Amino acid sequence: MRHTLALFFLLPLAILAQQGQRPNIIFIFSDDHANAAISAYADSRNLIQTPNIDRLANEGMTFNRCLVTNSICGPSRAAVLTGKYSHLNGFYNNETNPFDGSQQTFPKLLQKAGYQTAMIGKWHLISNPTGFDHWEILISQGQYYNPPMIRDGKKVKYEGYATDIITDLSLDWLKKRDTSKPFLLMCHHKAPHMGWEPNLKYLDFDKDRKYAEPPTLFDDYGNSRGKAWKDQFMTIAKVFSDEDMKLKPPTDLNEEQLKEWNKYYEPRNAAYRASKMTSKDSIRWRYQRYMHDYLGSIMSVDESVGKILDYLQKEGLDKNTIVIYSSDQGFFLGEHGWFDKRWILEESLRTPFLCRWPAVVKAGSENEKMVSLLDVAETFVEVAGIPKPADMQGKSLVPLLKGENPKDWRTSFYYHYYEYPKSHRVRPHYGVITDRYKLVHFYKPDLDEWELYDLKENPRETINYINKPTYAKTIVKLRVELTRLEKELKVPPISEEPRSDYGSLPFDDRSMMQPNNQKKKADH
Ligand code: CA
């Protein structure tokens, strides 16, 4: 007996892992983080350096094509938790119902299997978290500065910057955890969600750099593109409020913070006001201001990843802890003249997914397979040694993490966006995605338009090929595949979808975006 115990304490972690010690999991999840705003994902604009997120790429695996099922906050989070599409987990959009927390989720399964579970940061599913030994969440969207939070059901107030607070609370939980059990920590940041309010210490991070513009900043929505493109309400040109552009300070700063904020923004705002720009130049100015604020708010997220990785290393936990960095979806950074997400288009459909797990994953590896946030639940269930629930709709990423090349991996993917008209009048649409094509149907409430994009011929997705005869065979094949996917995924007929507030059209967009209604913008 004495010998056995001595041997136990002398065994290195890797051997313990081989002998069945289940890995710990840290899932770092940000909000609206576009791949283009991570330096590990090459982007021609070279927008930002994220050295700590890049550590995950250098020491682990980068997934280059991770897709979301429904490109908007709550529904994407619900898909992560359940491994199911919106039509099965019941969370279609941010407007209709709270998430049904009584259903099966992977944190519940892990908790039941002996994992210690915690959820800290942005939750945004209206109902309280379930399946966690400890949870502490922002209220709804939360605020960047001095955010009130709810800790295990009780309201608490913090001074400081949300990303730092969420990081500190996550580290505190790790330090106080029961070391006899494996853990699941979900560390969910608010950043870089709208209104893109950077940590005050990073306000001058880019030294007034001028960012390259995307080639489609002044997109005219031509090339046979339909009504959905022309009728959206998500352009930098029309939608930004004074608060979004920082021409007005946020309301959640204390006096001292406001001074610091004003010190940075006031002289720059005064120069803008005095410049009397043309409307085109004003759009260019808005884009620059947007990039400063959006990228500035990522600086602390990157720092947070570094702090967590450093802690794991210091504690000797880094070998057998899976660390994933991802976001609930991508974001438009001026492409098509837009901000926001929602569309089946690459910028909003693709999301970052990087995984460090030295016991299994080869450092510096990249994966080109079509994976999805839908796969997260099954991956963690497999990692924890739990039998796969038959009703989950994703695929475990474990074989890919091991460097295998499964021949039966998916070659097509189903996408479905429902929310309309709030907040950006993006038409509900669904479609099938392959490595090269997307066949999309824009439908409710008054549309019946199909579009075809060809990523090889037109990677910026500015041409609709649906009426081009040379694509006829491709279109037929894609429609057949779409039908097959709908059947396999048990997609209900459109008539059974929950009703959105279609009746309010036409509505006054501007009034909805006024600063005094900012708190109502819970649907991002
Ligand atoms: Ca989001």
Side-chain angles (χ1 to χ4, degrees):
M1 183 66 190
R2 191 179 297 155
H3 290 296
T4 319
L5 265 179
L7 190 65
F8 178 83
F9 287 113
L10 287 171
L11 279 173
L13 271 173
I15 296 173
L16 283 177
Q18 280 168 13
Q19 290 186 344
Q21 177 144 325
R22 293 176 298 176
N24 306 304
I25 299 167
I26 300 186
F27 187 66
I28 309 172
F29 203 47
S30 59
D31 196 335
D32 296 0
H33 195 165
N35 288 38
I38 291 178
S39 41
Y41 289 102
D43 182 78
S44 57
R45 277 181 282 174
N46 194 20
L47 291 170
I48 190 172
Q49 289 304 307
T50 50
N52 293 298
I53 298 173
D54 290 7
R55 275 167 72 182
L56 298 175
N58 298 334
E59 297 166 15
M61 183 175 277
T62 306
F63 288 86
N64 287 323
R65 200 159 160 75
C66 179
L67 312 180
V68 299
T69 54
N70 180 358
S71 184
I72 184 167
C73 302
S76 197
R77 287 152 199 272
V80 166
L81 290 169
T82 59
K84 292 175 186 172
Y85 276 86
S86 308
H87 60 268
L88 292 192
N89 67 42
F91 205 84
Y92 289 81
N93 58 57
N94 289 335
E95 298 290 325
T96 331
N97 297 308
F99 177 68
D100 172 10
S102 70
Q103 67 185 298
Q104 169 186 277
T105 63
F106 82 81
K108 281 189 192 176
L109 295 172
L110 265 64
Q111 189 183 40
K112 208 172 149 194
Y115 269 72
Q116 202 174 174
T117 58
M119 161 68 223
I120 294 166
K122 183 168 174 183
W123 176 248
H124 198 34
L125 286 167
I126 311 171
S127 57
N128 282 341
T130 54
F132 298 99
D133 301 324
H134 169 69
W135 55 270
E136 181 150 9
I137 57 171
L138 294 169
I139 299 169
S140 185
Q141 290 285 1
Q143 55 193 57
Y144 274 101
Y145 308 113
N146 315 316
M149 294 180 78
I150 305 176
R151 182 200 293 158
D152 298 321
K154 288 188 191 107
K155 195 168 168 180
V156 278
K157 173 95 179 133
Y158 291 100
E159 286 284 303
Y161 187 65
T163 308
D164 293 344
I165 291 163
I166 291 163
T167 305
D168 290 346
L169 292 172
S170 297
L171 290 170
D172 283 350
W173 183 80
L174 283 174
K175 287 170 195 164
K176 288 178 195 154
R177 77 190 192 283
D178 175 354
T179 52
S180 69
K181 287 181 177 178
F183 63 83
L184 161 72
L185 168 64
M186 300 181 79
C187 170
H188 288 202
H189 292 295
K190 172 183 172 60
H193 189 276
M194 194 182 194
W196 320 297
E197 292 161 16
N199 199 330
L200 297 170
K201 71 176 179 180
Y202 284 130
L203 281 177
D204 196 23
F205 80 103
D206 67 356
K207 309 285 176 218
D208 294 308
R209 170 183 167 189
K210 193 166 181 340
Y211 294 96
E213 291 170 3
T216 55
L217 183 61
F218 295 98
D219 195 347
D220 63 0
Y221 314 122
N223 298 322
S224 305
R225 283 174 289 172
K227 192 173 175 184
W229 287 82
K230 296 167 183 81
D231 200 35
Q232 42 66 35
F233 186 69
M234 52 186 275
T235 59
I236 290 171
K238 289 187 183 156
V239 185
F240 279 5
S241 68
D242 282 359
E243 281 191 346
D244 296 333
M245 292 185 280
K246 314 295 181 296
L247 294 170
K248 262 188 182 176
T251 51
D252 48 11
L253 295 162
N254 67 31
E255 208 175 319
E256 205 176 309
Q257 292 164 335
L258 181 61
K259 265 189 210 157
E260 229 178 305
W261 194 96
N262 282 334
K263 199 175 141 198
Y264 178 82
Y265 283 107
E266 271 192 345
R268 289 166 177 82
N269 289 347
Y272 168 67
R273 289 194 178 98
S275 68
K276 307 266 185 294
M277 286 179 195
T278 63
S279 65
K280 203 166 182 182
D281 282 344
S282 163
I283 292 168
R284 297 202 142 108
W285 180 88
R286 286 166 184 234
Y287 168 73
Q288 295 298 329
R289 174 56 60 90
Y290 167 36
M291 285 303 94
H292 166 272
D293 298 339
Y294 178 87
L295 299 168
S297 72
I298 288 169
M299 296 298 285
S300 289
V301 174
D302 187 63
E303 193 175 76
S304 168
V305 172
K307 281 183 188 167
I308 288 171
L309 290 178
D310 288 348
Y311 173 80
L312 294 177
Q313 197 169 11
K314 193 172 87 183
E315 296 298 312
L317 288 165
D318 55 324
K319 296 279 186 299
N320 200 32
T321 298
I322 299 173
V323 180
I324 287 175
Y325 182 82
S326 186
S327 169
D328 59 351
Q329 68 321 278
F331 215 64
F332 291 98
L333 304 180
E335 298 92 348
H336 311 293
W338 296 341
F339 68 105
D340 209 69
K341 53 261 182 174
R342 300 163 200 271
W343 293 76
I344 195 170
L345 305 172
E346 289 294 288
E347 291 83 358
S348 55
L349 173 73
R350 275 177 75 207
T351 204
F353 201 91
L354 306 104
C355 176
R356 185 189 188 279
W357 184 15
V360 170
V361 177
K362 192 177 158 213
S365 50
E366 287 188 55
N367 195 291
E368 306 301 328
K369 292 251 189 294
M370 212 183 285
V371 302
S372 171
L373 291 185
L374 193 67
D375 302 332
V376 168
E378 270 165 70
T379 304
F380 293 160
V381 159
E382 180 172 351
V383 158
I386 302 163
K388 180 198 151 161
D391 56 351
M392 284 187 178
Q393 298 183 300
K395 286 169 96 67
S396 166
L397 301 176
V398 170
L400 306 186
L401 293 169
K402 285 179 177 166
E404 292 167 10
N405 183 21
K407 292 283 174 282
D408 61 345
W409 197 260
R410 67 166 75 87
T411 53
S412 66
F413 188 72
Y414 178 75
Y415 178 84
H416 202 146
Y417 170 78
Y418 301 85
E419 188 169 290
Y420 182 83
K422 286 179 180 173
S423 285
H424 297 286
R425 217 161 60 205
V426 175
R427 299 297 165 143
H429 57 283
Y430 59 88
V432 56
I433 297 146
T434 67
D435 59 346
R436 177 167 175 182
Y437 299 106
K438 290 176 193 172
L439 179 69
V440 190
H441 187 214
F442 294 93
Y443 63 109
K444 289 179 170 182
D446 55 351
L447 266 194
D448 180 13
E449 288 183 345
W450 287 86
E451 301 205 344
L452 176 73
Y453 315 127
D454 180 344
L455 291 171
K456 191 174 167 201
E457 291 297 317
N458 176 232
R460 295 199 178 99
E461 301 172 289
T462 52
I463 304 172
N464 170 20
Y465 294 97
I466 199 80
N467 291 315
K468 207 171 172 197
T470 48
Y471 284 94
K473 267 190 189 166
T474 303
I475 291 167
V476 171
K477 269 192 206 164
L478 289 166
R479 281 202 76 157
V480 169
E481 181 58 11
L482 177 59
T483 306
R484 189 194 70 77
L485 284 171
E486 286 173 333
K487 200 172 163 202
E488 181 185 291
L489 299 168
K490 302 181 176 66
V491 182
I494 286 166
S495 58
E496 289 176 20
E497 284 173 16
R499 187 186 151 81
S500 259
D501 43 356
Y502 306 133
S504 63
L505 273 176
F507 62 97
D508 180 356
D509 287 317
R510 296 302 299 181
S511 71
M512 206 169 71
M513 305 305 284
Q514 289 307 304
N516 59 357
N517 284 335
Q518 290 278 315
K519 298 296 176 217
K520 289 184 186 166
K521 293 197 296 180
D523 51 346
H524 286 277

PDB file of all heavy atoms in Angstrom, residues 2 11 17 67 104 112 161 224 316 319 357 392 404 406 444 486 509:
ATOM      1  N   ARG A   2       1.884   1.237   0.876  1.00  0.00           N
ATOM      2  CA  ARG A   2       2.774   2.380   0.954  1.00  0.00           C
ATOM      3  C   ARG A   2       3.443   2.638  -0.404  1.00  0.00           C
ATOM      4  O   ARG A   2       3.554   3.752  -0.866  1.00  0.00           O
ATOM      5  CB  ARG A   2       3.829   2.145   2.041  1.00  0.00           C
ATOM      6  CG  ARG A   2       4.636   3.402   2.357  1.00  0.00           C
ATOM      7  CD  ARG A   2       5.650   3.137   3.439  1.00  0.00           C
ATOM      8  NE  ARG A   2       5.017   2.760   4.690  1.00  0.00           N
ATOM      9  CZ  ARG A   2       5.626   2.030   5.616  1.00  0.00           C
ATOM     10  NH1 ARG A   2       6.848   1.590   5.420  1.00  0.00           N
ATOM     11  NH2 ARG A   2       5.021   1.737   6.742  1.00  0.00           N
ATOM     12  N   LEU A  11       4.261   9.915 -10.092  1.00  0.00           N
ATOM     13  CA  LEU A  11       3.934   9.812 -11.509  1.00  0.00           C
ATOM     14  C   LEU A  11       3.775  11.180 -12.166  1.00  0.00           C
ATOM     15  O   LEU A  11       3.063  12.037 -11.639  1.00  0.00           O
ATOM     16  CB  LEU A  11       2.614   9.044 -11.681  1.00  0.00           C
ATOM     17  CG  LEU A  11       2.708   7.526 -11.616  1.00  0.00           C
ATOM     18  CD1 LEU A  11       1.305   6.939 -11.637  1.00  0.00           C
ATOM     19  CD2 LEU A  11       3.520   6.978 -12.782  1.00  0.00           C
ATOM     20  N   ALA A  17      -2.498  11.060 -17.099  1.00  0.00           N
ATOM     21  CA  ALA A  17      -3.497  11.272 -18.142  1.00  0.00           C
ATOM     22  C   ALA A  17      -3.718   9.979 -18.910  1.00  0.00           C
ATOM     23  O   ALA A  17      -4.846   9.575 -19.174  1.00  0.00           O
ATOM     24  CB  ALA A  17      -3.034  12.374 -19.085  1.00  0.00           C
ATOM     25  N   LEU A  67     -17.715  27.043 -37.972  1.00  0.00           N
ATOM     26  CA  LEU A  67     -18.936  27.754 -38.354  1.00  0.00           C
ATOM     27  C   LEU A  67     -19.947  27.760 -37.210  1.00  0.00           C
ATOM     28  O   LEU A  67     -19.934  26.874 -36.361  1.00  0.00           O
ATOM     29  CB  LEU A  67     -19.565  27.082 -39.579  1.00  0.00           C
ATOM     30  CG  LEU A  67     -18.613  26.780 -40.743  1.00  0.00           C
ATOM     31  CD1 LEU A  67     -19.386  26.117 -41.890  1.00  0.00           C
ATOM     32  CD2 LEU A  67     -17.911  28.031 -41.232  1.00  0.00           C
ATOM     33  N   GLN A 104     -31.126  18.948 -21.394  1.00  0.00           N
ATOM     34  CA  GLN A 104     -29.772  18.387 -21.320  1.00  0.00           C
ATOM     35  C   GLN A 104     -28.740  19.381 -21.859  1.00  0.00           C
ATOM     36  O   GLN A 104     -28.920  19.948 -22.936  1.00  0.00           O
ATOM     37  CB  GLN A 104     -29.740  17.115 -22.169  1.00  0.00           C
ATOM     38  CG  GLN A 104     -28.370  16.542 -22.410  1.00  0.00           C
ATOM     39  CD  GLN A 104     -28.456  15.382 -23.376  1.00  0.00           C
ATOM     40  OE1 GLN A 104     -28.750  14.264 -22.991  1.00  0.00           O
ATOM     41  NE2 GLN A 104     -28.231  15.659 -24.655  1.00  0.00           N
ATOM     42  N   LYS A 112     -22.485  15.801 -13.527  1.00  0.00           N
ATOM     43  CA  LYS A 112     -22.975  14.501 -13.066  1.00  0.00           C
ATOM     44  C   LYS A 112     -21.865  13.444 -13.094  1.00  0.00           C
ATOM     45  O   LYS A 112     -21.839  12.524 -12.275  1.00  0.00           O
ATOM     46  CB  LYS A 112     -24.130  14.061 -13.986  1.00  0.00           C
ATOM     47  CG  LYS A 112     -25.131  13.161 -13.321  1.00  0.00           C
ATOM     48  CD  LYS A 112     -26.309  12.942 -14.245  1.00  0.00           C
ATOM     49  CE  LYS A 112     -26.904  11.568 -13.997  1.00  0.00           C
ATOM     50  NZ  LYS A 112     -27.811  11.166 -15.066  1.00  0.00           N
ATOM     51  N   TYR A 161     -13.022  47.137 -14.939  1.00  0.00           N
ATOM     52  CA  TYR A 161     -13.318  46.826 -16.329  1.00  0.00           C
ATOM     53  C   TYR A 161     -13.765  45.366 -16.460  1.00  0.00           C
ATOM     54  O   TYR A 161     -13.118  44.458 -15.915  1.00  0.00           O
ATOM     55  CB  TYR A 161     -12.058  47.076 -17.165  1.00  0.00           C
ATOM     56  CG  TYR A 161     -12.278  46.941 -18.643  1.00  0.00           C
ATOM     57  CD1 TYR A 161     -13.127  47.820 -19.336  1.00  0.00           C
ATOM     58  CD2 TYR A 161     -11.645  45.942 -19.371  1.00  0.00           C
ATOM     59  CE1 TYR A 161     -13.329  47.699 -20.699  1.00  0.00           C
ATOM     60  CE2 TYR A 161     -11.837  45.813 -20.744  1.00  0.00           C
ATOM     61  CZ  TYR A 161     -12.678  46.700 -21.404  1.00  0.00           C
ATOM     62  OH  TYR A 161     -12.878  46.585 -22.747  1.00  0.00           O
ATOM     63  N   SER A 224     -26.678  41.199 -58.965  1.00  0.00           N
ATOM     64  CA  SER A 224     -27.843  40.303 -58.826  1.00  0.00           C
ATOM     65  C   SER A 224     -28.202  39.994 -57.383  1.00  0.00           C
ATOM     66  O   SER A 224     -28.971  39.064 -57.122  1.00  0.00           O
ATOM     67  CB  SER A 224     -27.628  38.974 -59.566  1.00  0.00           C
ATOM     68  OG  SER A 224     -27.312  39.225 -60.891  1.00  0.00           O
ATOM     69  N   GLY A 316       1.323  23.817 -12.806  1.00  0.00           N
ATOM     70  CA  GLY A 316       1.578  22.503 -13.401  1.00  0.00           C
ATOM     71  C   GLY A 316       0.329  21.863 -13.980  1.00  0.00           C
ATOM     72  O   GLY A 316       0.231  20.653 -14.105  1.00  0.00           O
ATOM     73  N   LYS A 319      -0.418  20.782 -18.846  1.00  0.00           N
ATOM     74  CA  LYS A 319      -0.301  19.617 -19.743  1.00  0.00           C
ATOM     75  C   LYS A 319      -1.647  18.953 -19.991  1.00  0.00           C
ATOM     76  O   LYS A 319      -1.974  18.580 -21.100  1.00  0.00           O
ATOM     77  CB  LYS A 319       0.646  18.566 -19.133  1.00  0.00           C
ATOM     78  CG  LYS A 319       2.081  19.034 -18.982  1.00  0.00           C
ATOM     79  CD  LYS A 319       2.849  18.935 -20.287  1.00  0.00           C
ATOM     80  CE  LYS A 319       4.322  19.276 -20.095  1.00  0.00           C
ATOM     81  NZ  LYS A 319       4.524  20.666 -19.611  1.00  0.00           N
ATOM     82  N   TRP A 357      -3.906  21.633 -25.956  1.00  0.00           N
ATOM     83  CA  TRP A 357      -4.067  20.431 -25.130  1.00  0.00           C
ATOM     84  C   TRP A 357      -2.831  19.567 -25.367  1.00  0.00           C
ATOM     85  O   TRP A 357      -2.856  18.625 -26.143  1.00  0.00           O
ATOM     86  CB  TRP A 357      -5.358  19.693 -25.525  1.00  0.00           C
ATOM     87  CG  TRP A 357      -5.697  18.501 -24.688  1.00  0.00           C
ATOM     88  CD1 TRP A 357      -5.169  18.152 -23.472  1.00  0.00           C
ATOM     89  CD2 TRP A 357      -6.654  17.481 -25.017  1.00  0.00           C
ATOM     90  NE1 TRP A 357      -5.740  16.994 -23.012  1.00  0.00           N
ATOM     91  CE2 TRP A 357      -6.664  16.553 -23.939  1.00  0.00           C
ATOM     92  CE3 TRP A 357      -7.517  17.266 -26.095  1.00  0.00           C
ATOM     93  CZ2 TRP A 357      -7.487  15.432 -23.935  1.00  0.00           C
ATOM     94  CZ3 TRP A 357      -8.340  16.148 -26.086  1.00  0.00           C
ATOM     95  CH2 TRP A 357      -8.329  15.244 -25.012  1.00  0.00           C
ATOM     96  N   MET A 392     -27.671  14.624 -29.578  1.00  0.00           N
ATOM     97  CA  MET A 392     -26.818  15.761 -29.938  1.00  0.00           C
ATOM     98  C   MET A 392     -26.544  15.728 -31.442  1.00  0.00           C
ATOM     99  O   MET A 392     -26.472  14.662 -32.040  1.00  0.00           O
ATOM    100  CB  MET A 392     -25.513  15.734 -29.141  1.00  0.00           C
ATOM    101  CG  MET A 392     -25.699  16.177 -27.699  1.00  0.00           C
ATOM    102  SD  MET A 392     -24.100  16.319 -26.845  1.00  0.00           S
ATOM    103  CE  MET A 392     -24.639  16.915 -25.236  1.00  0.00           C
ATOM    104  N   GLU A 404      -6.065  12.972 -36.455  1.00  0.00           N
ATOM    105  CA  GLU A 404      -6.621  12.005 -37.409  1.00  0.00           C
ATOM    106  C   GLU A 404      -7.355  12.732 -38.532  1.00  0.00           C
ATOM    107  O   GLU A 404      -7.680  13.915 -38.410  1.00  0.00           O
ATOM    108  CB  GLU A 404      -7.601  11.052 -36.678  1.00  0.00           C
ATOM    109  CG  GLU A 404      -6.894  10.140 -35.694  1.00  0.00           C
ATOM    110  CD  GLU A 404      -7.859   9.423 -34.754  1.00  0.00           C
ATOM    111  OE1 GLU A 404      -9.091   9.479 -34.984  1.00  0.00           O
ATOM    112  OE2 GLU A 404      -7.370   8.821 -33.775  1.00  0.00           O
ATOM    113  N   PRO A 406     -10.593  11.833 -40.279  1.00  0.00           N
ATOM    114  CA  PRO A 406     -11.743  10.922 -40.478  1.00  0.00           C
ATOM    115  C   PRO A 406     -12.347  11.104 -41.877  1.00  0.00           C
ATOM    116  O   PRO A 406     -12.646  12.223 -42.284  1.00  0.00           O
ATOM    117  CB  PRO A 406     -12.740  11.367 -39.398  1.00  0.00           C
ATOM    118  CG  PRO A 406     -11.980  12.271 -38.492  1.00  0.00           C
ATOM    119  CD  PRO A 406     -10.847  12.844 -39.254  1.00  0.00           C
ATOM    120  N   LYS A 444     -38.881  34.983 -44.802  1.00  0.00           N
ATOM    121  CA  LYS A 444     -39.838  35.795 -44.080  1.00  0.00           C
ATOM    122  C   LYS A 444     -39.547  37.296 -44.085  1.00  0.00           C
ATOM    123  O   LYS A 444     -38.389  37.664 -44.099  1.00  0.00           O
ATOM    124  CB  LYS A 444     -39.876  35.338 -42.635  1.00  0.00           C
ATOM    125  CG  LYS A 444     -40.515  34.012 -42.449  1.00  0.00           C
ATOM    126  CD  LYS A 444     -40.462  33.671 -40.998  1.00  0.00           C
ATOM    127  CE  LYS A 444     -41.305  32.443 -40.735  1.00  0.00           C
ATOM    128  NZ  LYS A 444     -41.321  32.101 -39.308  1.00  0.00           N
ATOM    129  N   GLU A 486     -31.888  18.945 -43.890  1.00  0.00           N
ATOM    130  CA  GLU A 486     -33.109  19.317 -43.156  1.00  0.00           C
ATOM    131  C   GLU A 486     -33.759  18.088 -42.532  1.00  0.00           C
ATOM    132  O   GLU A 486     -34.244  18.133 -41.403  1.00  0.00           O
ATOM    133  CB  GLU A 486     -34.094  20.033 -44.086  1.00  0.00           C
ATOM    134  CG  GLU A 486     -33.663  21.451 -44.407  1.00  0.00           C
ATOM    135  CD  GLU A 486     -34.534  22.134 -45.455  1.00  0.00           C
ATOM    136  OE1 GLU A 486     -35.131  21.425 -46.290  1.00  0.00           O
ATOM    137  OE2 GLU A 486     -34.615  23.359 -45.436  1.00  0.00           O
ATOM    138  N   ASP A 509     -36.639  52.804 -37.436  1.00  0.00           N
ATOM    139  CA  ASP A 509     -35.309  52.294 -37.073  1.00  0.00           C
ATOM    140  C   ASP A 509     -34.540  53.257 -36.174  1.00  0.00           C
ATOM    141  O   ASP A 509     -33.958  52.863 -35.184  1.00  0.00           O
ATOM    142  CB  ASP A 509     -34.465  52.077 -38.320  1.00  0.00           C
ATOM    143  CG  ASP A 509     -34.940  50.864 -39.093  1.00  0.00           C
ATOM    144  OD1 ASP A 509     -35.232  49.843 -38.460  1.00  0.00           O
ATOM    145  OD2 ASP A 509     -35.019  50.976 -40.313  1.00  0.00           O
TER     146      ASP A 509
END
